[in-house]
Structures are given as structure tokens and as C-alpha cells.
Amino acid sequence: MTAKSREELADGIVLAMTDLAGALGRLNDVIAQRSGVGPTDLLCLHTLNRLGPSTAGVLSARLGRTTGAITQMIDRLQKAGFVRRRPNPEDRRSVVVEAVPEALARIAELYAGLDARSRALMAELSEEQLAAVHAFLVASHRIAVQEADAL
């Protein structure tokens, strides 16, 4: 592969990533609307699903929002039945927030089509290709988080 064709391929990948980010943002907006929550609320639920129960401080750091904004978000999500608060077993002065499993299941249903189509697409790839895609996505996530933190 020549340096020029490698650069052109890299340019195409960066553009595809931008397009994918936009499409996933649109999908997340639609799912947030159908779920009756805001886009950042949906991101909070995704974070709780991945990390498990968390404090407001941890959510603040992960989502890049003030603790006051996180507290308001938790209040909204609790009122809508998506999360619950419970005493923090490690610190009696604070609480942890956990997603309600039934609420997460309802949201997961809205992602079922994307999941099925993505798995069908992945079935066409070799193990080596899947490993390369996985490594690229994990590294890209890390870089995006670093960029967001830097900004």
C-alpha cells in the first residue's frame, strides 16, 4: 500500500467515524425521546448500565457535568422510575444511584434492531478482522475521552 492510498484510507475512516457518531447521536436522540428522557439522561443511564451503581461525583466526572446538574438529572430519572437511590455502603454520608433493571430492559428493546444488524454485519468478518475493529474502537473511545477532557 502506498503512503498516499494509506492516507486516503485514513481520511475515509475519519469521515466514516464522524458519520457514525452523527448517526448514533441521532439514534440516541430518538431513543431518548421515546423513553421520555433527555439525551444526557440517556447517557447517564448508559453509564450506570456499564459501571453499575455510582455516586453523583463519579457520574459528574464521567459525564462532564457539575454535581448540581447531575443531582437534578438523578431527580428527574428517579421521578420517571429509571433510577433509585440507596445508601452508599462505603460512606454513610452519601448515596449511590442505580438504574432500575426493568427500565434498562425497556431501553435495551429500543436498541435491539441496531444490535441485531450490527451482529449480522460482524458475522461477515473474520476473527482477525473483528479483533482489529474491536482494538480500533477501544482505542478510539480512549482518544475521544482524552480529547473531551482536554477541551
Side-chain angles (χ1 to χ4, degrees):
M1 180 179 290
T2 68
K4 182 173 175 145
S5 63
R6 185 175 179 85
E7 186 175 326
E8 288 171 351
L9 188 55
D11 289 344
I13 290 170
V14 170
L15 289 174
M17 288 173 59
T18 302
D19 291 344
L20 176 60
L24 289 173
R26 181 174 170 234
L27 176 64
N28 288 335
D29 285 346
V30 169
I31 289 173
Q33 289 172 14
R34 292 228 177 132
S35 301
V37 300
T40 305
D41 298 358
L42 184 65
L43 182 57
C44 179
L45 291 169
H46 171 72
T47 301
L48 289 170
N49 186 42
R50 297 283 285 150
L51 294 180
S54 301
T55 65
V58 169
L59 291 171
S60 173
R62 287 291 291 229
L63 299 175
R65 302 291 190 271
T66 66
T67 53
I70 294 296
T71 298
Q72 290 177 342
M73 181 183 343
I74 293 167
D75 290 344
R76 284 192 309 272
L77 289 170
Q78 184 174 22
K79 185 177 179 181
F82 286 96
V83 301
R84 57 183 159 240
R85 289 176 167 104
R86 61 178 171 83
N88 185 345
E90 297 174 14
D91 181 358
R92 292 184 301 162
R93 298 167 295 164
S94 69
V95 298
V96 293
V97 180
E98 61 184 3
V100 173
E102 298 81 11
L104 288 180
R106 289 193 310 271
I107 291 171
E109 288 175 18
L110 297 170
Y111 284 102
L114 175 66
D115 184 76
R117 290 176 185 203
S118 296
R119 288 177 186 278
L121 178 60
M122 288 183 280
E124 299 174 10
L125 302 176
S126 69
E127 279 189 45
E128 293 80 18
Q129 289 172 315
L130 286 172
V133 169
H134 181 260
F136 179 79
L137 291 174
V138 168
S140 294
H141 174 263
R142 185 181 66 250
I143 291 168
V145 169
Q146 290 170 346
E147 283 298 308
D149 290 347
L151 291 175

